[in-house]
């Protein structure tokens, strides 16, 4: 489903790792990061401290949550989960998700 179709349906667009790798363009990613740092320096981005959640029953694991909002109304949340034990399972030790929301929806 395209981003426009997802917006029209009021649904969430979910991109897999493969989707991102297939469509991401390196220079556009660099430019977006540059613009984000400029907005931060200009005070147009609100980036609170990262929340780190630890687990009593899994002391080597942690989940990290990093929100950000822009003066233009967009909001994002990056979630990273540090799971060192996943290596023994052949899984990623740092699975993560980025959620982005626009101001209209």
């Amino acid at each position: 489903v395209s981003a426009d179709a997802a917006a029209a349906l009021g649904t969430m667009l979910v991109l897999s790792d493969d989707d991102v790798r297939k469509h991401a363009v390196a220079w556009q990613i660099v430019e977006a990061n540059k613009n984000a740092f400029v907005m931060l320096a200009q005070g147009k981005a609100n980036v609170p401290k990262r929340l780190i959640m630890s687990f009593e029953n899994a002391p080597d694991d942690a989940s990290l949550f990093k929100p950000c909002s822009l003066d233009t109304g967009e909001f994002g949340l990056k979630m990273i989960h540090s799971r060192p034990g996943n290596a023994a399972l052949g899984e990623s030790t740092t699975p993560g998700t980025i959620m982005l929301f626009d101001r209209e929806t």
Side-chain angles (χ1 to χ4, degrees), residues 39-40 42-46 68-75 103:
M39 290 183 79
L40 182 61
Q42 293 173 340
K44 296 179 180 178
N46 178 21
C68 175
S69 64
L70 304 177
D71 283 358
T72 54
E74 289 84 0
F75 171 79
R103 66 176 166 211

Side-chain angles (χ1 to χ4, degrees), residues 40-101:
L40 182 61
Q42 293 173 340
K44 296 179 180 178
N46 178 21
V47 185
K49 289 185 177 183
R50 174 178 59 192
L51 169 68
I52 302 173
M53 179 183 244
S54 57
F55 303 93
E56 198 171 298
N57 61 344
D60 293 335
D61 295 357
S63 291
L64 298 86
F65 302 89
K66 184 70 173 173
C68 175
S69 64
L70 304 177
D71 283 358
T72 54
E74 289 84 0
F75 171 79
L77 176 65
K78 176 173 63 173
M79 300 175 287
I80 304 290
H81 308 287
S82 175
R83 303 290 187 262
N86 280 2
L89 303 172
E91 298 289 336
S92 172
T93 58
T94 53
T97 299
I98 297 175
M99 299 175 72
L100 300 172
F101 305 89

Side-chain angles (χ1 to χ4, degrees), residues 30-43 45:
V30 171
E31 189 67 20
N33 276 295
K34 177 183 141 192
N35 291 339
F37 280 109
V38 168
M39 290 183 79
L40 182 61
Q42 293 173 340

